[in-house]
Amino acid sequence: RILMSVTEIRSGFTAIKANIQARDPIRTLSILSHPQSLHKVKSSDRCCIIHNLFNFYMDKVFKHCQTEDSYINRKISSIANSFLSIKKKLEQCHNQNKCLCGQESTEKFKQILANYEGLNITSAAIKSLGELDILLDWMEKSR
Amino acid sequence: MKNVLHWSAPEGTGDGVLYKVKYSVYGVGKWIRKPECRNINRTWCDLSNETADYEEQYYASVKAFLNGMCSDWMETTRFNPLTDTKIDPPMVNVSSTEKSISIILTAPEKWKRSPDGESVSLLQVYPGLQYNVSVLNKKTKKRWFFSVSNNTLVVPWLEPGTAYCVSAQIHVTTPLLHSGFSKEYCIATLKDKTA
Amino acid sequence: LGEDALLPSPQNISILSTNMRHFLTWSPVTIQGETVRYSVEFQGEYEREYANESWIPICECSLITATVCNITEDISATVAYNLRVRADIGARRSQWGTLKGFFNRITTSLTPPPMKVIADGYHLLVELKDMGPAFQFCVLYWKKEPYWLMQWKMVKDVSSTVHLDTMEAGHDYCVKAQTYVETINRSSSFSQTQCVRAQGGRSL
């Protein structure tokens, strides 16, 4: 059922993608895809990266993406609540120790946090939200 | 995934406008000129080669020149080759016996750099790819729909000597993408020899 | 706004939710000779846990005169939602009336799908109605006698007449269907069984 919630997130994101990405003028930096791509993550590290990234989006991204547009805010709420419902399901895996973090994924996630902290909080949050399809593409491709 | 950049000529400039194009990989710090699209007078530029890696996202930009004057660089929105693409219908191959038709479906290939380059089927790019198949009985005018994951479908127990028309569509669930239906391929079941 | 406390807040706030379509309803606030308008806001679990318990207005249900609001678009995750309504007359405004308890779409009521079974020669077909992207259909079919092997097919894309299977000449086949919503992992009850007969005579 995670897949179906991901489909709902994808649909919510598609509705706001152009608007959110237009608010991110920085072409030369990425939070998720550079310098190291998500697509290079080993499958054994997948669960840990997804778990960390869902926490990252819940704790550091959605709450800093308030806009003046109520439609955009409602869609962000919809995505955030879908994230929360997936996060709770992932927590079951994490609590049963099926989601261990290897050295590589720990480094990878540190890099993502470093990219995020390299910008001011609102720009970093909007950029992260605008890169949601990078996360979804990677999750769907490697399921 | 043949990715062609298109733009409109600036208003009121008539002929003689030339353009140049550059592109960048999102998250990487530099713009890259496209030599084959330098000082061109057409309003498109094929960037398939430059955007072939669908794990990356891209921006492209165009500048116009006329009589020594030039425009600002005009930029696209962020381009995701995986989701921001159109999918062609599948190829449909139909054969028949007296009482059945066999349908073989072939998903289009991903764009490739050269004819002898390695072929990559869209099945490999979109793991959730499925086919919706429509079969029309030309006599009764009734249309049936099938949804199949593999690329062959046999429809048995049909009426001999009857024309059936088949068309098919590609459907990807994540990301949500679908092609149009292919044109119809019609074939008749063989006549009943005992009749 | 000193007078707003005089304007009573909406009462009997409740949710009508069927087949993943969710409506908030409430009793009208009646003030002689006045037009009362209502505004609706929602709060998901994310807003409670991560966003300072913030509320989000539904602009389609802002200053409306109706006493019902379609909240389907905003109830788009399987989490617990809070909902509230307030009344306005000009500058006068009531306190918020809040739904008693949370609403989670997992409680939506699912009705059996309308269905039409067709025998076209030796082919068993079913017509189903598209109920939206959240819905799939689980279709069960079996040969009536002598052999009761029950088979099933999950149907996602409902565009027209869906082919189920081929039938043995002259035999009766029966079909029933239920909806399935993957995001809440629930199914409706089955529709009425419908039976049809394949063309031709039975072979002995």
Side-chain angles (χ1 to χ4, degrees), chain A residues 20 61-67 72-73 76 122 125-126 129:
Chain A
I20 294 296
V61 174
F62 296 125
K63 61 179 73 172
H64 301 301
C65 288
Q66 277 295 315
T67 75
I72 298 291
N73 292 344
I76 291 172
T122 305
I126 286 289
L129 181 58

Side-chain angles (χ1 to χ4, degrees), chain C residues 33-54:
Chain C
E34 298 279 4
T35 301
V36 179
R37 295 180 180 279
Y38 307 93
S39 298
V40 175
E41 293 187 346
F42 72 93
Q43 178 194 72
E45 197 167 333
Y46 165 76
E47 280 74 29
R48 282 194 300 285
E49 290 184 11
Y50 290 84
N52 310 313
E53 306 197 350
S54 54

Side-chain angles (χ1 to χ4, degrees), chain A residues 1 8 74 78 81 88, chain C residues 45 60 74 76 105 182:
Chain A
R1 267 175 289 132
E8 287 184 317
R74 284 161 73 182
S78 159
N81 278 290
K88 287 198 274 183
Chain C
E45 197 167 333
E60 292 86 354
D74 295 293
S76 53
R105 64 180 184 177
E182 192 171 355

Side-chain angles (χ1 to χ4, degrees), chain B:
Chain B
M1 289 189 175
K2 177 176 173 64
N3 305 322
V4 179
L5 176 68
H6 288 270
W7 62 88
S8 311
E11 282 180 10
T13 52
D15 295 335
V17 183
L18 297 178
Y19 306 95
K20 62 181 174 182
V21 170
K22 64 180 180 181
Y23 68 94
S24 77
V25 176
Y26 170 65
V28 175
K30 59 185 183 329
W31 286 95
I32 303 165
R33 302 293 167 102
K34 169 83 172 176
E36 298 85 346
C37 295
R38 181 182 165 75
N39 297 332
I40 56 172
N41 59 10
R42 62 175 189 267
T43 57
W44 58 268
C45 171
D46 189 336
L47 292 174
S48 303
N49 196 43
E50 291 73 18
T51 56
D53 181 354
Y54 55 81
E55 292 176 356
E56 296 286 3
Q57 299 192 6
Y58 304 88
Y59 283 92
S61 198
V62 190
K63 184 188 271 269
F65 294 86
L66 181 63
N67 305 334
M69 293 182 297
C70 66
S71 73
D72 290 334
W73 285 101
M74 294 306 291
E75 226 171 71
T76 63
T77 55
R78 194 179 306 170
F79 174 70
N80 180 344
L82 199 63
T83 56
D84 304 338
T85 192
K86 282 194 293 251
I87 294 188
D88 284 336
M91 283 201 305
V92 179
N93 193 292
V94 192
S95 58
S96 71
T97 65
E98 203 178 295
K99 288 192 172 181
S100 72
I101 57 174
S102 301
I103 302 161
I104 297 174
L105 304 160
T106 310
E109 282 177 9
K110 180 178 180 298
W111 174 89
K112 54 188 180 183
R113 286 187 161 90
S114 63
D116 43 28
E118 184 212 351
S119 291
V120 175
S121 166
L122 284 191
L123 260 170
Q124 295 162 258
V125 177
Y126 300 106
L129 187 145
Q130 287 197 318
Y131 302 96
N132 290 335
V133 181
S134 148
V135 176
L136 171 69
N137 180 326
K138 291 286 273 184
K139 190 189 290 184
T140 63
K141 298 289 187 285
K142 288 183 181 163
R143 187 183 297 275
W144 308 339
F145 279 87
F146 301 76
S147 190
V148 294
S149 302
N150 53 15
N151 66 335
T152 55
L153 171 65
V154 177
V155 185
W157 290 97
L158 297 177
E159 293 177 54
T162 304
Y164 291 88
C165 291
V166 177
S167 71
Q169 168 196 44
I170 282 178
H171 180 78
V172 178
T173 44
T174 53
L176 189 60
L177 288 168
H178 49 75
S179 73
F181 268 91
S182 66
K183 74 183 184 77
E184 284 196 329
Y185 294 82
C186 298
I187 193 166
T189 46
L190 306 180
K191 293 218 177 342
D192 185 351
K193 299 187 189 77
T194 59

